[in-house]
């Protein structure tokens, strides 16, 4: 069984913690990993260099749309990056992700 990992850059640590905390608390994601990064990108016709924080959120495919909607509501960026990857892990870990999230 595959699951999804959402990659979500945030402007700072407190925002990443707030967003991750809310989606995990709502059981839209089983867990979150947070780490700092440096970003280089074009925005409003200027090259930007920023320090950001990334949240990696793990969720079953059935919650993809609900998690995306929550992230769009919680994220402060005008155009947030909400990448998702389908991944596999050891069966016990995959079962844990399902067990720790909302079951419809």
């Amino acid at each position: 069984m595959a699951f999804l990992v959402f990659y979500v850059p945030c402007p700072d640590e407190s925002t990443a913690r707030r967003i991750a905390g809310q989606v995990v608390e709502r059981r839209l994601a089983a867990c979150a990993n947070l780490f700092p990064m440096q970003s280089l990108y074009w925005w409003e016709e200027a090259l930007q260099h920023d320090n950001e924080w990334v949240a990696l959120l793990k969720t079953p495919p059935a919650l993809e749309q609900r998690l995306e909607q929550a992230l769009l509501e919680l994220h402060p960026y005008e155009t947030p990056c909400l990448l998702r990857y389908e991944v596999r892990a050891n069966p016990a870990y995959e079962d844990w992700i399902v067990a720790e999230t909302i079951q419809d």
Side-chain angles (χ1 to χ4, degrees):
M1 171 194 80
F3 64 96
L4 299 175
V5 173
F6 273 70
Y7 168 92
V8 184
C10 298
D12 52 46
E13 182 180 6
S14 64
T15 302
R17 286 184 179 278
R18 177 182 57 79
I19 290 172
Q22 288 189 32
V23 298
V24 171
E25 187 174 305
R26 295 180 198 176
R27 294 191 175 267
L28 296 174
C31 73
N33 302 110
L34 308 175
F35 56 93
M37 71 169 189
Q38 295 182 358
S39 297
L40 176 65
Y41 57 95
W42 285 99
W43 183 252
E44 297 180 348
E45 300 184 31
L47 189 57
Q48 306 293 320
H49 298 263
D50 286 322
N51 292 319
E52 293 183 295
W53 277 71
V54 170
L56 294 180
L57 308 167
K58 297 158 196 152
T59 193
L63 293 177
E64 179 178 7
Q65 296 306 315
R66 290 174 70 177
L67 178 55
E68 179 177 1
Q69 186 59 42
L71 292 170
L72 289 170
E73 292 169 5
L74 294 167
H75 208 288
Y77 286 168
E78 179 181 333
T79 307
C81 172
L82 305 179
L83 302 180
R84 76 234 37 206
Y85 303 94
E86 186 175 296
V87 297
R88 296 195 49 106
N90 54 307
Y93 189 77
E94 290 179 355
D95 291 345
W96 175 80
I97 288 172
V98 171
E100 297 304 324
T101 53
I102 295 172
Q103 307 301 306
D104 289 331

